[in-house]
Amino acid sequence: MTEAGGAYPAPPTDHTPETNTPDSPTSGNPATPYAVPYTVPQPPAVIDAAIWPSVAAVPASTKAKVAGKVADTIFRAAVRRLPLTVRYPDGAELGLGAGSGSSQGAAYPVMTMHRPEDFARRLGDGGLIGLGESYMAGDWDADNLTAVMEVFAARVGSLVPEPLQKLRGLYLPRTPRTERNTEQNTRSNISRHYDLSNELFATFLDSTMTYSSALFPERGEALRHVAWDGLAAAQQAKIDRLLDKAGVTEGTRVLEIGTGWGELALRAAARGASVYSVTLSSEQQELARQRVAEAGYADAVTIELKDYRAVEGEFDAVVSVEMIEAVGYEYWATYFQTIERVLAPGGRVAIQAITIGHDRLIATRTSYTWVHKYIFPGGVIPSVRAIEEVTEKQTGLRVRERLAMGEHYAQTLRLWEERFMSRAAEVRGLGFDEVFQRMWLFYLCYSRAGFETGYLDVQQIVLDKVPARTATAGRSGQ
């Protein structure tokens, strides 16, 4: 994989990855309250600039140096009032947990700075992109990355002084035109994530190969302790609920937008439905077709490499799991108009969508972030309000029912994180180096922190068509 995706070269055979020592904050020392059950790999002393250009080189322009000093001042001022401990190489500590010898200090997660000047320059030059890149580079570590990210996620709107927030559009990176979700770009955007390697995703997904939030039977405190052996059943429960809400039974004509690796199509076909599924990932298409054929449903399931906008026909049910996030906010109306166009009279729609608060959507929808650069190019997470407004104003669809299940996603991500890190050697053997592994860990922990703090949620949303006369009247008033 390159920084933007694509072919990833095989690792050099003579490289021995560095790991944390047994008493390192990231080693899983049980005496540390925030310890994790794995060791975080360290990047090599010299990072390959051909693969990771923005990680290998610390910003060195005059602008970056000045911005770095400003960022360092803002960061230090912010963390002094936060429930964590930030440790510097000179022995200084900041945060409410400063003074690690105290019982109070031990109760907070620890962020350890290895190269504070490099961290500040990256942060000043790229904002949150720099935060992630500095972790990938090894400028800092954490005893529990999710816990540290939770501290920041819970206060994301107030960490930077408001006057500077208003100026961020003048100096932070902007979304490349090649990543807008036009029909010409969308295939490339999807490929950069989902075509990394089926084998890579298999290292941390369960046997259903389902890459979205599960729905566990547990609730409350018990939910926080769900184990790996219950994940596959929880993924199938999530899928079954969506199929139930969409009214999928024997003879139902199902459109699935976003195939994944085929589990939903398989479970719909097992009900006697016929499934037409579209994806833009050739890797997913290949494995999903293989799984469908092996299960004996090749006659009931068609999986095509096609943009959702190009779908034709009529369907009794439309299902789509965590695909709207990849659509781009400029195309949400197109997405729902396409669904409306192909939905048969009396048909139902069931989607699963990651959501964000509407105020944060408005503040960030045009931002270019670390997640865009390294994980999901072109992605924008919608708010519930945005979905309701788009469908009400620009389609004849209406939201009829919602189930919020963000706490389930937090635990799904925890299980993925632990599984991925426990198979680090296998990931390395697939050709994904330590920088990639730190990138992927940052992605999983960054995401989990969003759900743990409520900054993010995930919803199962059921829609259907309003009567034709009402729908027409609604649109004519625009």
Side-chain angles (χ1 to χ4, degrees):
M1 172 191 142
T2 65
E3 182 175 291
Y8 192 93
T13 56
D14 60 349
H15 176 70
T16 301
E18 300 176 33
T19 57
N20 298 307
T21 58
D23 58 352
S24 166
T26 52
S27 67
N29 182 348
T32 305
Y34 284 92
V36 291
Y38 51 76
T39 296
V40 178
Q42 292 299 299
V46 178
I47 295 172
D48 191 334
I51 304 172
W52 307 104
S54 297
V55 180
V58 179
S61 67
T62 301
K63 171 194 168 187
K65 292 177 181 178
V66 172
K69 291 183 182 300
V70 174
D72 184 59
T73 299
I74 293 173
F75 177 79
R76 288 173 183 259
V79 299
R80 282 189 175 94
R81 52 190 168 83
L82 298 182
L84 81 167
T85 303
V86 180
R87 293 177 178 161
Y88 286 85
D90 63 1
E93 293 187 351
L94 297 176
L96 297 181
S100 59
S102 69
S103 59
Q104 183 181 19
Y108 294 110
V110 177
M111 181 178 185
T112 302
M113 291 291 181
H114 303 304
R115 295 184 290 272
E117 184 176 345
D118 292 356
F119 168 82
R121 284 194 192 179
R122 294 182 196 271
L123 193 65
D125 189 63
L128 288 178
I129 294 178
L131 178 68
E133 288 178 340
S134 64
Y135 183 79
M136 293 162 66
D139 296 338
W140 63 278
D141 272 301
D143 62 344
N144 183 312
L145 184 55
T146 298
V148 168
M149 296 308 295
E150 281 182 40
V151 172
F152 296 129
R155 301 158 181 83
V156 69
S158 61
L159 291 174
V160 176
E162 189 171 345
L164 291 179
Q165 289 187 40
K166 294 178 180 178
L167 296 175
R168 65 184 177 182
L170 299 177
Y171 64 90
L172 291 181
R174 297 187 178 184
T175 304
R177 292 184 62 84
T178 55
E179 292 185 10
R180 291 186 62 221
N181 280 297
T182 62
E183 291 189 55
Q184 293 74 28
N185 295 340
T186 299
R187 173 73 190 277
S188 172
N189 286 346
I190 294 296
S191 178
R192 280 168 52 184
H193 186 78
Y194 293 99
D195 287 345
L196 283 171
S197 160
N198 284 337
E199 291 77 15
L200 170 69
F201 285 99
T203 63
F204 68 94
L205 298 181
D206 64 86
S207 59
T208 69
M209 286 295 288
T210 306
Y211 188 39
S212 51
S213 179
L215 181 60
F216 297 93
E218 290 84 357
R219 297 293 184 270
E221 185 61 24
L223 178 60
R224 302 188 65 81
H225 302 284
V226 292
W228 175 262
D229 58 10
L231 181 56
Q235 291 289 12
Q236 292 175 334
K238 171 271 301 293
I239 291 171
D240 289 343
R241 187 180 188 280
L242 284 168
L243 295 178
D244 289 344
K245 293 298 180 179
V248 176
T249 59
E250 186 171 358
T252 302
R253 299 167 297 172
V254 178
L255 168 65
E256 180 186 24
I257 300 177
T259 306
W261 284 275
E263 186 69 15
L264 190 146
L266 284 169
R267 296 190 74 76
R271 296 184 176 208
S274 61
V275 183
Y276 183 74
S277 185
V278 295
T279 179
L280 289 175
S281 166
S282 56
E283 288 275 325
Q284 287 189 331
Q285 181 194 38
E286 180 181 359
L287 183 54
R289 282 179 167 178
Q290 178 184 326
R291 295 182 70 211
V292 166
E294 290 174 352
Y297 293 118
D299 292 339
V301 178
T302 301
I303 301 173
E304 290 196 358
L305 207 61
K306 178 179 290 188
D307 190 285
Y308 70 91
R309 287 164 282 208
V311 172
E312 300 291 343
E314 185 177 75
F315 301 90
D316 306 306
V318 179
V319 290
S320 186
V321 180
E322 292 179 26
M323 188 273 178
I324 190 174
E325 303 87 348
V327 167
Y329 79 92
E330 311 103 307
Y331 300 98
W332 288 338
T334 302
Y335 172 78
F336 285 111
Q337 287 165 356
T338 299
I339 291 174
E340 179 189 17
R341 172 172 56 81
V342 301
L343 188 64
R348 293 179 71 82
V349 181
I351 69 171
Q352 184 163 304
I354 298 172
T355 60
I356 193 171
H358 194 68
D359 59 335
R360 297 309 303 164
L361 168 64
I362 299 302
T364 62
R365 65 185 177 184
T366 60
S367 299
Y368 185 60
T369 68
W370 180 89
V371 170
H372 292 126
K373 185 173 182 178
Y374 289 96
I375 307 296
F376 292 113
V380 180
I381 295 174
S383 65
V384 169
R385 177 175 165 184
I387 291 173
E388 292 176 339
E389 288 183 351
V390 166
T391 52
E392 288 178 7
K393 294 179 179 179
Q394 302 196 50
T395 77
L397 299 173
R398 294 294 180 271
V399 172
R400 302 302 187 189
E401 181 183 336
R402 290 191 296 111
L403 171 69
M405 42 189 273
E407 66 275 18
H408 293 258
Y409 219 151
Q411 299 313 311
T412 302
L413 284 157
R414 173 179 62 80
L415 294 172
W416 289 346
E417 169 197 333
E418 292 172 357
R419 180 80 164 185
F420 177 75
M421 296 307 296
S422 73
R423 304 180 77 175
E426 187 175 335
V427 172
R428 188 69 176 88
L430 291 172
F432 297 94
D433 70 5
E434 291 81 6
V435 179
F436 178 93
Q437 291 180 49
R438 289 176 71 91
M439 177 192 79
W440 206 259
L441 176 62
F442 189 86
Y443 153 56
L444 293 173
C445 294
Y446 180 94
S447 302
R448 180 180 160 201
F451 290 103
E452 290 280 15
T453 59
Y455 182 81
L456 297 176
D457 204 345
V458 63
Q459 314 264 341
Q460 286 195 351
I461 302 174
V462 182
L463 308 94
D464 62 14
K465 288 183 179 180
V466 296
R469 182 170 22 176
T470 304
T472 301
R475 286 196 294 272
S476 66
Q478 301 305 307

